[in-house]
Amino acid sequence: MEYLFTLKYRLRAQDTDGEALIDRLFEAGCDDALLGIGQSGRLVLEFTREANSATDALESAIADVRKAVDNAELVEVLPDYAGLTDIGEHVGMSRQNLRKITTENGSTFPPSVHEGRPSLWHLSDALSWLAEHGYAVDAATLETSVAARELNIAIQARRLSAERSRELEALMA
């Protein structure tokens, strides 16, 4: 199956030579990605990768990037966080229609990760709910958004000390 996803990295100062970086990434197996290196110290790769699962696709891409740029810091995996417009695009409906659905189903529609302007959801939560309620959802996109969410949670969890992680786990148990 083919999976579409984006990896965003922070680069170290020694990895700012764009041409050399592109060559190393291509040689490491990232020939199925579009590279964005326009912002200093950042690298964005938009992959279209064939694999047996979204997890396999994401993990193999991350391993390939690490082979080319071993000290790059993975900061975000997409698709994950999404507003109503983004979610609507994945299921072929307008933001207004999706807003109506979320309002009418407030007790069962997944809670947003951030309430505000705009509110944000984990795409996987919203797509899962929509699929369960009969809306057409692309299976590969749903699978990829689940894997992306897991990786983003792991990225955020690494920022906590082990002690603080245990404290918070006890608080929420």
Side-chain angles (χ1 to χ4, degrees), residues 39-52:
Q39 186 180 359
S40 180
R42 300 289 186 191
L43 171 65
V44 177
L45 299 106
E46 293 183 5
F47 282 89
T48 303
R49 184 157 283 205
E50 299 243 353
N52 291 328

Side-chain angles (χ1 to χ4, degrees), residues 61-74:
I62 291 167
D64 289 347
V65 172
R66 183 163 303 283
K67 281 188 276 187
V69 195
D70 65 347
N71 60 359
E73 176 189 358
L74 182 61

